[in-house]
Amino acid sequence: FISPMAADPVKLLDSLIDKVKEVKIPKPGAVKADKVTVKTKSKMEKKQKQASLDVCWLPMVPPGHTDYSWWGDEEEEPVPEATAPHKEKKQEKKKKKQEKKKQKVKKTKGGAPKSEAPLFARVDLRVGHVLKVWPHENPEVKSLWCEEIDVGEDKPRKIASGLRKFYTQEQFQGKRIIVVCNLKPAKLKGFESNGMVLCASNADHTKVELVEPPANAKPGTRISLKNLDVNPHEPDAKINAKKKNSVWHEWQPKIRTNEKKIPCFDGIPMVTPEGELSVPTLADCICK
């Protein structure tokens, strides 16, 4: 729109055109390019800052501090190994276990307590007096005698012995004998036997004889050795002769009669306070 008041409309138009020409209009894509350059510049600045940080020395923050509580102006204290306290605890536990093992009674694999007594004293051998003898209740069992034997306890022990082929009822009853008293009770053909009568035997087991104490020995007297009094030593509570690790397998082979027909343990005569044990005729034979 041109005002009618203008003196020279042509000149006015020309001046407007000149002003428009003076205005700088950006070319297409020029604004975007400027933005890209700004971004690249900011990225470059960040990289430069990161590079400067990488070159700088950053001290390690010691345990117990944060980035704000430690500024690198104190010396680092040596940190103990994490496993050290754990090792010390383990060593203490081992020491305690070792002390307990020393204080406690040793045990065998089967769990039975192992006595600190001499080997011979671990088996409880006593003088017995046969009070009563009778055949096994089963008539088909012809090898066993059933007995009541006084071994110095409140009541007689019931024991079964395979001696029927070697002793008559009359020969056996009333005898002074030797009884193994701490064997685990065993059922023999249904009869519970609470001990074993000690006998000597020849090699082929065709002759068997009772091991006998002196005639005046008292029932319940423990059997000692000529060089060992067993009374201060406690025998094993129960011996299971069937177990492989039983003390019986170490003890029994050492019992033999000598040339004088005296039962010995590892060559040493077995005795009571009244005298030595004996068998009637079997010399240098096994006892069991």
Side-chain angles (χ1 to χ4, degrees):
F1 175 76
I2 299 169
S3 173
M5 299 295 294
D8 191 353
V10 176
K11 285 183 180 181
L12 182 61
L13 185 62
D14 289 339
S15 64
L16 286 172
I17 290 168
D18 291 337
K19 284 182 180 179
V20 170
K21 284 181 180 180
E22 287 176 3
V23 175
K24 292 182 180 181
I25 300 172
K27 293 180 181 180
V31 175
K32 199 179 282 186
D34 289 343
K35 287 181 181 178
V36 171
T37 53
V38 171
K39 284 183 181 180
T40 53
K41 280 182 182 180
S42 62
K43 282 183 181 180
M44 287 296 291
E45 287 174 359
K46 283 182 182 179
K47 283 184 180 180
Q48 286 174 357
K49 284 181 181 179
Q50 185 65 40
S52 64
L53 287 173
D54 292 341
V55 172
C56 292
W57 175 75
L58 294 176
M60 296 294 290
V61 179
H65 288 279
T66 65
D67 293 337
Y68 303 100
S69 66
W70 185 76
W71 302 101
D73 55 350
E74 61 183 57
E75 293 182 2
E76 292 186 41
E77 294 181 3
V79 181
E81 292 182 7
T83 55
H86 185 60
K87 284 181 180 177
E88 285 178 6
K89 285 181 182 178
K90 276 191 175 181
Q91 287 174 354
E92 285 177 10
K93 283 182 181 179
K94 280 184 181 179
K95 284 181 182 179
K96 285 180 182 178
K97 281 183 181 179
Q98 287 172 356
E99 286 174 5
K100 283 181 182 178
K101 281 181 181 178
K102 287 178 183 178
Q103 291 171 0
K104 285 183 179 179
V105 178
K106 293 179 181 178
K107 291 192 174 182
T108 60
K109 290 180 183 178
K114 184 178 179 181
S115 172
E116 296 296 331
L119 178 60
F120 179 77
R122 292 180 63 183
V123 176
D124 189 8
L125 289 181
R126 296 187 219 165
V127 174
H129 182 212
V130 182
L131 302 177
K132 185 180 176 182
V133 178
W134 68 95
H136 195 281
E137 61 181 10
N138 185 348
E140 293 182 3
V141 179
K142 296 181 180 180
S143 61
L144 294 179
W145 285 123
C146 300
E147 312 104 37
E148 282 187 359
I149 303 175
D150 177 13
V151 291
E153 296 172 336
D154 295 337
K155 59 182 181 179
R157 287 199 185 202
K158 290 184 177 181
I159 296 175
S161 306
L163 296 173
R164 204 163 169 179
K165 293 179 183 178
F166 308 104
Y167 286 89
T168 66
Q169 187 172 357
E170 291 75 18
Q171 287 173 330
F172 197 10
Q173 192 162 303
K175 276 276 190 183
R176 289 263 200 268
I177 58 169
I178 305 301
V179 180
V180 183
C181 290
N182 61 339
L183 287 177
K184 185 180 178 182
K187 285 202 172 183
L188 302 178
K189 303 294 183 181
F191 182 88
E192 186 173 85
S193 181
N194 293 281
M196 187 187 82
V197 175
L198 191 65
C199 298
S201 169
N202 61 0
D204 59 4
H205 204 68
T206 56
K207 191 171 184 179
V208 174
E209 293 179 348
L210 292 164
V211 174
E212 300 175 11
N216 57 345
K218 294 179 181 179
T221 301
R222 286 187 69 187
I223 307 303
S224 294
L225 296 177
K226 204 164 188 177
N227 65 349
L228 174 69
D229 179 11
V230 300
N231 291 294
H233 304 288
E234 195 70 25
D236 287 16
K238 289 294 175 188
I239 293 173
N240 188 348
K242 292 181 179 180
K243 290 206 170 189
K244 289 182 180 179
N245 60 347
S246 172
V247 67
W248 182 255
H249 302 302
E250 186 182 356
W251 184 92
Q252 190 274 323
K254 296 179 183 290
I255 304 291
R256 294 184 66 88
T257 59
N258 62 13
E259 68 280 359
K260 295 179 181 179
K261 298 171 286 192
I262 298 170
C264 299
F265 179 81
D266 213 12
I268 301 166
M270 298 161 67
V271 299
T272 68
E274 293 77 20
E276 295 173 337
L277 308 189
S278 63
V279 296
T281 65
L282 292 172
D284 196 24
C285 289
I286 59 172
C287 295
K288 59 181 181 180

